[in-house]
């Protein structure tokens, strides 16, 4: 039997157990509202504020303490049956040194796991290794565009600290990267206390800290400063890559980045806004003219262009005008598309359930470089931003794989 078949058989067998049933029920739970960012996971039971779909065994539809325990136990059982977690094999840590010659070089016992969670995931979309780490985490720092606070709270231990450190552009209040670096360091350097029932004493133990990042940690993810902070303090870490929004965003919007029929065989990815908030075409660069070889989109010869962090409409309009002014390959009639909240619900369904209204709605605008911004503004003249958005330019934008 193939390894895939073995895993499938294993899951079928486990589905007969109460633990696996709890896992499927809990991670597929219906979402409920939580407070906005910058909050900690409450110490009280999840059953006071998380709701799941009602069933015969649980008419009230609330998550109980036994459900939480069963979920973590089921993950632990899956890991033990499939094999040991590979997280420990990927730990990055400094080489051992002689304490006599380098007494300050002491490896800190806590560990930080930098984990990409893809575009808009739920628990079922995560690898088992990530679920296992979440079930044992002492602290979780997560982005606003990744895994939701509700999903995280379904799986972490009761005393785990869960903090949103998401950064948002376009003048929205959010964390600075330097503050996130400091918080990760603070979390790693502060050991958690553990009470012993048998000895009635309190001890300290190393922390397991998860830094969840939407998309991929290294593609415009600013993971370097976080890793540099860990390295400079001898704190071991791991990192887990994931699918970036530059690929998943267009594809979830029904637009392929390459297509043999249209002879589109390549694509390139750029940031619409740099680390200092500057954007090409707005006059805040000293080299906005065509002499900037790194932005010579025609000279690179790619068929499809992808831009991230370009949701502000004035930035998007300036970029469109800059592309049009660069030459013959891109002009005002070139196909393009903007995808907002890629991976969210694909249509608004108005119901009496307030939970539906809180979900992000995926919007796709299709047009040309000359028409896309006026098209967006026509719907709402007061709109100034469609962030978070992915902007795609090229012939594949005329395709729509989400509709017949």
């Amino acid at each position: 039997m193939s390894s895939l078949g073995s895993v499938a058989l294993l899951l079928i067998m486990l589905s007969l157990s109460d633990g696996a049933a709890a896992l499927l029920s809990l991670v597929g739970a219906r979402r409920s509202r939580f407070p906005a960012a910058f909050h900690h996971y409450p110490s009280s039971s999840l059953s006071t504020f998380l709701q799941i779909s009602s069933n015969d065994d649980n008419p009230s539809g609330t998550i109980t303490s036994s459900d939480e325990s069963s979920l973590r136990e089921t993950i632990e059982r899956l890991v033990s049956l499939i094999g040991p977690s590979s997280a420990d094999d990927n730990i990055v840590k400094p080489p051992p040194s002689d304490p006599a010659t380098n007494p300050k070089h002491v490896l800190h016992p806590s560990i930080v796991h930098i984990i990409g969670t893809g575009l808009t995931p739920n628990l079922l979309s995560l690898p088992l290794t990530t679920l296992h780490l979440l079930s044992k985490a002492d602290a979780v720092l997560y982005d606003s565009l990744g895994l939701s606070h509700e999903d995280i709270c379904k799986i972490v231990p009761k005393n785990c600290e869960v903090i949103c450190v998401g950064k948002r552009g376009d003048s929205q209040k959010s964390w600075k990267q330097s503050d996130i670096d400091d918080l990760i360091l603070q979390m790693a350097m502060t050991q958690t206390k553990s009470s012993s029932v048998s000895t009635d004493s309190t001890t300290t133990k190393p922390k397991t800290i998860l830094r969840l990042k939407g998309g991929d940690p290294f593609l415009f993810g600013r993971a370097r400063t976080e890793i540099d902070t860990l390295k400079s303090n001898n704190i071991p870490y791991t990192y887990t890559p994931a699918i970036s929004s530059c690929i998943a965003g267009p594809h979830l919007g029904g637009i392929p980045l390459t297509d043999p029929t249209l002879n589109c065989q390549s694509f390139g990815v750029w940031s619409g806004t740099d680390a200092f908030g500057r954007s090409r075409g707005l006059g805040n660069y000293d080299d906005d003219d065509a002499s900037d070889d790194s932005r010579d989109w025609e000279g690179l010869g790619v068929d499809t262009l992808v831009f991230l962090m370009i949701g502000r409409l004035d930035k998007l309009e300036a970029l469109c005008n800059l592309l049009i002014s660069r030459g013959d390959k891109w002009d005002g009639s070139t196909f393009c598309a903007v995808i907002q909240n890629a991976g969210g619900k694909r249509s608004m369904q108005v119901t009496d359930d307030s939970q539906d209204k809180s979900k992000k709605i995926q919007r796709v605008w299709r047009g040309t470089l000359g028409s896309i911004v006026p098209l967006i503004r026509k719907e709402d003249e007061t709109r100034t931003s469609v962030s978070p958005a992915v902007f795609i330019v090229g012939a594949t934008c005329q395709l729509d794989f989400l509709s017949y």
Side-chain angles (χ1 to χ4, degrees):
M1 181 182 294
S2 67
S3 58
L4 182 60
S6 300
V7 172
L9 177 60
L10 172 64
L11 292 176
I12 292 172
M13 294 172 63
L14 285 171
S15 68
L16 301 178
S17 71
D18 292 338
L23 175 63
L24 294 175
S25 174
L26 288 168
V27 299
R30 194 174 39 151
R31 297 190 177 183
S32 60
R33 242 177 228 201
F34 281 84
F38 315 116
H39 49 280
H40 289 232
Y41 176 40
S43 58
S44 60
S45 172
L46 284 174
S47 61
T48 60
F49 58 95
L50 271 182
Q51 290 188 342
I52 59 175
S53 300
S54 298
N55 53 57
D56 294 337
D57 297 328
N58 187 8
S60 65
T62 58
I63 293 179
T64 65
S65 297
S66 61
D67 289 331
E68 301 168 35
S69 176
S70 178
L71 173 57
R72 289 188 287 273
E73 289 174 1
T74 300
I75 292 173
E76 189 68 37
R77 184 182 178 192
L78 282 170
V79 170
S80 65
L81 289 172
I82 294 176
S85 172
S86 61
D88 291 342
D89 299 334
N90 300 322
I91 296 177
V92 181
K93 55 187 177 182
S97 62
D98 186 355
T101 59
N102 190 5
K104 294 184 178 181
H105 187 83
V106 178
L107 180 64
H108 198 277
S110 294
I111 184 169
V112 176
H113 300 276
I114 301 173
I115 300 174
T117 59
L119 191 53
T120 52
N122 51 45
L123 291 177
L124 285 175
S125 69
L126 296 179
L128 179 59
T129 299
T130 299
L131 293 174
H132 190 220
L133 289 172
L134 279 169
S135 71
K136 295 178 175 296
D138 297 297
V140 176
L141 311 180
Y142 72 101
D143 287 345
S144 56
L145 299 181
L147 199 66
S148 72
H149 182 270
E150 177 187 358
D151 280 342
I152 295 171
C153 288
K154 290 177 185 175
I155 190 170
V156 296
K158 184 174 65 173
N159 295 324
C160 177
E161 292 184 274
V162 180
I163 305 173
C164 177
V165 294
K167 295 187 297 295
R168 307 295 295 126
D170 304 339
S171 302
Q172 298 184 47
K173 185 177 180 181
S174 61
W175 285 72
K176 295 180 180 179
Q177 184 59 48
S178 58
D179 294 332
I180 298 175
D181 298 342
D182 292 341
L183 181 60
I184 293 174
L185 178 60
Q186 176 188 340
M187 288 286 185
M189 299 296 286
T190 305
Q191 293 186 336
T192 186
K193 292 183 178 181
S194 175
S195 298
S196 174
V197 177
S198 59
T199 61
D200 194 25
S201 62
T202 301
T203 60
T204 60
K205 69 181 184 70
K207 273 188 172 182
T208 297
I209 300 157
L210 270 62
R211 174 66 174 104
L212 302 182
K213 301 176 76 71
D216 183 89
F218 294 142
L219 282 177
F220 306 110
R222 302 190 186 186
R224 177 183 173 178
T225 61
E226 298 173 6
I227 290 177
D228 286 346
T229 299
L230 298 174
K231 281 186 172 183
S232 62
N233 290 276
N234 296 322
I235 299 171
Y237 64 90
T238 70
Y239 62 85
T240 303
I243 300 177
S244 169
S245 60
C246 67
I247 296 177
H251 291 174
L252 288 170
I255 300 173
L257 293 179
T258 62
D259 183 79
T261 303
L262 295 174
N263 197 29
C264 294
Q265 304 293 335
S266 61
F267 67 92
V269 183
W270 288 267
S271 169
T273 305
D274 71 7
F276 301 99
R278 299 176 302 185
S279 179
R280 298 280 166 175
L282 284 180
N284 48 19
Y285 272 93
D286 294 331
D287 55 353
D288 268 341
D289 60 6
S291 63
D292 180 11
D293 293 336
S294 67
R295 301 290 170 143
D296 182 10
W297 295 288
E298 291 190 8
L300 291 175
V302 295
D303 301 309
T304 308
L305 309 179
V306 182
F307 295 90
L308 306 179
M309 292 165 279
I310 194 65
R312 243 176 61 186
L313 291 185
D314 60 337
K315 291 182 178 181
L316 180 59
E317 186 173 40
L319 178 59
C320 289
N321 292 336
L322 190 61
L323 282 166
I324 293 171
S325 69
R326 282 295 178 89
D328 297 329
K329 185 169 184 177
W330 318 107
D331 56 35
S333 63
T334 300
F335 290 106
C336 65
V338 173
I339 304 174
Q340 179 188 41
N341 293 325
K345 289 185 65 177
R346 293 175 185 169
S347 62
M348 174 68 80
Q349 296 177 352
V350 180
T351 69
D352 293 332
D353 190 347
S354 61
Q355 295 177 11
D356 284 346
K357 300 174 186 177
S358 68
K359 292 182 179 180
K360 294 179 179 178
I361 307 301
Q362 175 176 286
R363 290 292 311 276
V364 181
W365 291 274
R366 299 170 184 271
T368 64
L369 287 176
S371 69
I372 190 69
V373 174
L375 178 67
I376 296 173
R377 285 178 172 155
K378 185 177 181 180
E379 290 186 2
D380 183 358
E381 294 181 355
T382 65
R383 179 183 283 138
T384 60
S385 175
V386 290
S387 180
V390 181
F391 180 46
I392 310 104
V393 179
T396 60
C397 292
Q398 62 188 293
L399 302 176
D400 184 2
F401 291 162
L402 292 183
S403 61
Y404 273 86

